[in-house]
Amino acid sequence: MQTQIIDGKALAEKIQAELAQQVEKLPKKPVLAVVLVGDHPASLTYVRNKTVKASKVGIETRLFHLSPVMTEDALISFIRELNENAEIDAVLVQLPLPEHMDTARVLESIAPEKDADGLHSINLGKLFAGHPALVPCTPMACLELIHAVCPSTEGMYAVIVGRSRLVGKPLAQLLLDAQCTVTQAHSRTKNLKDITSQADILISATGHGGLITKDHVKSGAIVIDVGITKNADGHLTGDVDRTSVEGQAGALTPVPGGVGPMTITMLLKNVVSIAMQKV
Ligand code: NDP
């Protein structure tokens, strides 16, 4: 079988062009505050990418690069000031935070209406209650990528490997809302292959490079690879062993160039939607 490689970069560019048109109609540029604590090398790259893409869409970013030795309470006070600042439409705290900080407590300090990542418990609660407002970016990116190759997912069987607050849990809700039957697997799941190989849609979000091989994939399935790890050569790779799975899957997202660019785009979409609410 010929596996369709889903071009996340091209889809991201198309959606970004649509967002740019929406921004042009706004009375002022949306402003996104990006809070970066410390000098985690991958975070520096992610923040740079987000800033460049935001600027192309017409969103102004203000970067606050803070010391890794600051206290959690000082960071929370800083975020509260951003919440109060009328010039700032949306706030993003780049993860991971330094180890001495409680990530959940920091994320809860972002005003829910400025929560660009959609990870505040109020926004997650609205998603689970059926009134989604700001939706977490990576799960939304996965759904868009699935719909790009399969516009109706009604009745399909989706298996998600991973159950984090960032990806797995909200994605399960989005897929339920998209009329799928959903199973969630994790590190304690027994006989993973038996479960994943039944899936019409398989999403892997573990950070375990090469976990998903041909044997895990039903013939013709849509496979979305969220994982990002570095292989022995220092190259970025996903959870899916692409060489093994190509020819078995019907469609597959590459790493890089799949979920990553779409995640940034969904962040920009949230920022634009916050700014549009104010008009
Ligand atoms: P977490 O570490 O928070 O969660 C990983 C999940 O995978 C957990 O639920 C864990 O199970 C499960 N898991 C780990 N190993 C296995 C295994 N061998 N078999 C089955 N399940 C397993 O990670 P995140 O959700 O934050 O991120 C997951 C991956 O996605 C990472 O590689 C991350 O870099 C990437 N990512 C990519 C993004 C993008 O834009 N492309 C955005 C966000 C994340 P348990 O709960 O039992 O521990």
Side-chain angles (χ1 to χ4, degrees):
M1 170 180 299
Q2 175 85 14
T3 300
Q4 178 185 353
I5 302 301
I6 308 172
D7 188 343
K9 205 162 164 258
L11 184 59
E13 280 168 9
K14 180 173 165 275
I15 297 173
Q16 284 167 23
E18 290 163 8
L19 290 173
Q21 286 178 359
Q22 290 173 13
V23 169
E24 267 181 24
K25 293 186 192 130
L26 289 170
K28 71 170 204 49
K29 277 188 171 193
V31 180
L32 168 67
V34 178
V35 179
L36 173 64
V37 186
D39 298 301
H40 192 277
S43 293
L44 290 168
T45 309
Y46 291 141
V47 164
R48 205 174 309 117
N49 280 346
K50 286 171 186 173
T51 308
V52 169
K53 298 288 186 276
S55 146
K56 281 192 182 158
V57 163
I59 295 170
E60 179 186 333
T61 47
R62 295 196 192 161
L63 175 62
F64 299 95
H65 195 166
L66 307 176
S67 161
V69 296
M70 80 188 301
T71 65
E72 182 182 311
D73 283 343
L75 175 60
I76 288 174
S77 300
F78 186 80
I79 292 169
R80 291 204 173 119
E81 281 174 28
L82 296 175
N83 292 342
E84 297 298 320
N85 185 340
E87 287 181 15
I88 306 282
D89 294 296
V91 177
L92 161 78
V93 175
Q94 182 63 43
L95 301 179
L97 289 168
E99 279 188 1
H100 67 278
M101 292 187 181
D102 176 349
T103 301
R105 187 167 169 252
V106 171
L107 293 179
E108 290 304 298
S109 71
I110 301 171
E113 65 279 8
K114 291 193 176 187
D115 175 28
D117 259 339
L119 292 172
H120 192 286
S121 58
I122 297 248
N123 286 319
L124 290 174
K126 284 184 176 173
L127 175 66
F128 292 123
H131 309 291
L134 295 165
V135 176
C137 305
T138 305
M140 199 60 217
C142 294
L143 195 68
E144 292 271 356
L145 288 159
I146 293 164
H147 281 156
V149 290
C150 181
S152 170
T153 49
E154 185 170 337
M156 293 176 84
Y157 181 41
V159 174
I160 304 162
V161 190
R163 57 173 166 180
S164 69
R165 171 180 174 153
L166 186 67
V167 188
K169 281 183 186 155
L171 179 57
Q173 185 61 47
L174 287 176
L175 287 166
L176 282 172
D177 292 345
Q179 313 299 348
C180 292
T181 301
V182 180
T183 292
Q184 192 129 39
H186 46 79
S187 68
R188 314 296 160 89
T189 299
K190 292 180 180 151
N191 306 323
L192 185 66
K193 271 182 199 169
D194 293 347
I195 298 167
T196 58
S197 59
Q198 304 294 314
D200 303 309
I201 302 169
L202 173 61
I203 302 107
S204 188
T206 71
H208 187 124
L211 174 72
I212 304 297
T213 59
K214 184 180 177 183
D215 297 346
H216 293 81
V217 177
K218 179 177 166 180
S219 174
I222 299 167
V223 181
I224 306 293
D225 190 356
V226 180
I228 304 175
T229 34
K230 271 196 182 157
N231 65 14
D233 310 332
H235 291 115
L236 286 186
T237 176
D239 284 1
V240 176
D241 179 341
R242 180 168 166 176
T243 317
S244 163
V245 167
E246 266 196 79
Q248 177 74 1
L252 170 67
T253 58
V255 177
V259 175
M262 280 298 289
T263 292
I264 296 180
T265 306
M266 294 301 107
L267 167 77
L268 305 179
K269 190 174 178 186
N270 275 345
V271 176
V272 173
S273 114
I274 293 170
M276 285 172 75
Q277 293 286 321
K278 292 185 170 176
V279 180

